[in-house]
Amino acid sequence: VNATESMAGTMKTPDGKTHTTTSTGTSTDTWMKTSKGWMLHSMRPGASKTTMDGKPYDPYAALPMTPGKKGKT
């Protein structure tokens, strides 16, 4: 299944300012029918885009680096 998600809202940053954010993304999802019903088997992320106050925004860039983990600092 090719899925598309979107979100819009407001958030308050630690400095007390309120910002408008939007996010859209796609994924390819695989579902399996089991005795308990349909269950999500896997999800492969696709393209995504996030904005804050209308400007491109990388939400992961603001996260602190965790020792032993790869990521942005």
Side-chain angles (χ1 to χ4, degrees):
V1 174
N2 292 320
T4 302
E5 61 89 13
S6 62
M7 179 278 305
T10 58
M11 69 177 203
K12 189 176 280 193
T13 53
D15 61 6
K17 296 180 181 177
T18 300
H19 301 276
T20 301
T21 60
T22 63
S23 180
T24 59
T26 61
S27 65
T28 302
D29 305 343
T30 303
W31 292 79
M32 295 182 68
K33 191 170 186 178
T34 71
S35 61
K36 296 180 182 181
W38 288 95
M39 300 186 81
L40 183 61
H41 175 68
S42 65
M43 179 186 292
R44 189 175 71 225
S48 65
K49 178 182 176 183
T50 302
T51 64
M52 181 183 288
D53 300 328
K55 298 175 186 172
Y57 174 71
D58 181 357
Y60 300 106
L63 297 176
M65 179 82 164
T66 303
K69 302 278 184 178
K70 292 183 178 181
K72 296 180 181 179
T73 57

